């Protein structure tokens, strides 16, 4: 029997890292090719950091799931053999406000709308399977601090960390919370950290970024109906998301 601690497959993690590396390598390669043999490369947006505030937008691909913690009732459950939450690819879009603090630190606010599809999968002793799907729309408000390296001509790396407050906005979820189906809360708080790469172009700056988010709120909200059903084996659900961003400023 699986202990319920589902981990991201190494292949999925490698895919994310490889994808962001390919983007960075391609952009750097193009820039280096232009500079080879000349000893000089034009510095785009040379006075970019002189402005106190910058605005932008981003598109993102979150891969999300629930971290499932079993309840004591699961040990004595002879019907459900295993329950877990698989990774699901989602979509996010939002705005970006970046405030200059020092030569090394910025403050970043990135409100976004995320379309999630999280699932809890049940496997029974008779090998049958079923699932509860939570398709939801969330408004998210990340408050982040950014540590940036020294700029090298038209590129630099950065680290980012902070927290995100999130509210679910779709009202149809309430209609599905019946007949013993999975019931979840409509507010979340996550701790976030990640790494990114900034490439300065002639008229804009593009920043691919990989960010990890770990929920600290128990999203499981058992009702009388859900306790009597398969979800009796669940004690705690927290969100876990790995997101690939493409920022434009």
């Amino acid at each position: 029997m699986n202990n319920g601690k589902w981990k991201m497959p190494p292949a999925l993690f490698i895919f994310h890292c490889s994808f962001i590396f390919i983007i960075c390598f391609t952009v750097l390669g193009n820039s280096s090719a232009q500079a080879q043999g000349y000893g000089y490369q034009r510095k785009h947006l040379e006075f970019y950091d002189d402005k106190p505030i910058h605005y932008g937008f981003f598109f993102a691909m979150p891969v999300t799931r629930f971290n499932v913690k079993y309840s004591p009732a699961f040990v004595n459950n002879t019907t459900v053999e295993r329950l877990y939450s698989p990774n699901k690819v989602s979509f996010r879009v939002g705005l970006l406000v970046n405030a200059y603090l020092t030569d090394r630190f910025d403050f970043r606010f990135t409100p976004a709308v995320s379309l999630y599809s999280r699932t809890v999968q049940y496997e029974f002793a008779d090998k049958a399977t079923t699932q509860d799907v939570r398709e939801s729309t969330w408004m998210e408000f990340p408050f982040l601090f950014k540590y940036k390296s020294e700029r090298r001509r038209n590129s630099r790396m950065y680290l980012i960390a902070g927290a995100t407050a999130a509210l679910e906005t779709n009202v149809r979820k309430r209609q599905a919370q019946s007949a013993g189906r999975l019931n979840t809360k409509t507010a979340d708080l996550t701790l976030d950290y990640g790494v990114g790469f900034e490439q300065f172009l002639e008229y804009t700056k593009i920043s691919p970024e990989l960010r990890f988010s770990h929920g600290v709120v128990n999203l499981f909200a058992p009702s009388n109906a859900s306790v009597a059903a398969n979800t009796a084996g669940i004690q705690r659900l927290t969100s876990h998301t790995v997101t690939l961003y493409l920022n434009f400023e």
Side-chain angles (χ1 to χ4, degrees):
M1 181 183 297
N2 191 287
N3 62 6
K5 299 229 178 236
W6 194 93
K7 296 183 179 180
M8 176 182 295
L12 184 60
F13 179 79
I14 294 173
F15 167 78
H16 279 83
C17 295
S18 299
F19 190 83
I20 194 171
F21 176 80
I22 290 171
I23 294 177
C24 298
F25 182 82
T26 302
V27 175
L28 279 174
N30 291 337
S31 299
S32 299
Q34 295 176 0
Q36 281 182 350
Y38 296 96
Y40 173 79
Q41 181 184 4
R42 179 181 176 185
K43 192 172 183 179
H44 299 306
L45 304 176
E46 186 171 358
F47 304 104
Y48 179 89
D49 290 323
D50 292 345
K51 295 182 179 180
I53 296 180
H54 293 94
Y55 301 95
F57 62 94
F58 62 83
F59 300 99
M61 184 186 72
V63 178
T64 185
R65 60 178 168 85
F66 289 122
N67 281 332
V68 182
K69 181 179 180 180
Y70 291 159
S71 69
F74 180 77
V75 178
N76 301 320
N77 192 327
T78 59
T79 304
V80 180
E81 189 173 79
R82 182 185 180 215
L83 61 89
Y84 64 98
S85 180
N87 284 324
K88 293 289 185 178
V89 178
S90 304
F91 177 74
R92 179 180 300 157
V93 63
L95 303 176
L96 187 156
V97 181
N98 191 92
Y100 175 88
L101 297 179
T102 69
D103 289 341
R104 287 289 180 266
F105 287 95
D106 289 346
F107 173 76
R108 178 167 284 196
F109 177 56
T110 59
V113 176
S114 296
L115 306 178
Y116 290 137
S117 177
R118 295 187 178 113
T119 300
V120 174
Q121 188 97 10
Y122 307 92
E123 294 183 1
F124 299 94
D126 60 359
K127 305 305 179 182
T129 61
T130 187
Q131 63 181 9
D132 272 319
V133 181
R134 296 266 67 84
E135 293 182 343
S136 53
T137 303
W138 289 76
M139 292 290 298
E140 298 178 323
F141 305 95
F143 299 88
L144 305 164
F145 287 96
K146 170 182 168 185
Y147 175 79
K148 52 195 177 182
S149 68
E150 183 178 352
R151 178 172 172 176
R152 301 293 182 182
R153 292 182 177 174
N154 289 319
S155 61
R156 67 183 171 202
M157 300 292 294
Y158 66 89
L159 301 174
I160 198 161
T164 298
L167 294 173
E168 188 179 358
T169 61
N170 58 321
V171 296
R172 291 191 301 172
K173 184 178 78 72
R174 292 296 180 186
Q175 301 173 3
Q177 294 175 354
S178 59
R181 297 195 63 190
L182 182 67
N183 187 6
T184 56
K185 297 176 182 177
T186 58
D188 195 12
L189 177 67
T190 64
L191 300 180
D192 309 329
Y193 58 91
V195 61
F197 172 83
E198 296 182 332
Q199 180 66 34
F200 292 84
L201 305 179
E202 187 172 0
Y203 298 109
T204 188
K205 181 180 72 171
I206 298 178
S207 307
E209 177 185 321
L210 185 65
R211 192 186 305 174
F212 300 84
S213 301
H214 302 281
V216 297
V217 175
N218 182 7
L219 295 177
F220 183 51
S223 63
N224 292 333
S226 65
V227 168
N230 302 326
T231 55
I234 300 175
Q235 178 175 317
R236 182 179 177 86
L237 291 177
T238 55
S239 60
H240 175 78
T241 307
V242 180
T243 308
L244 181 64
Y245 286 84
L246 191 58
N247 302 307
F248 298 87
E249 296 180 58

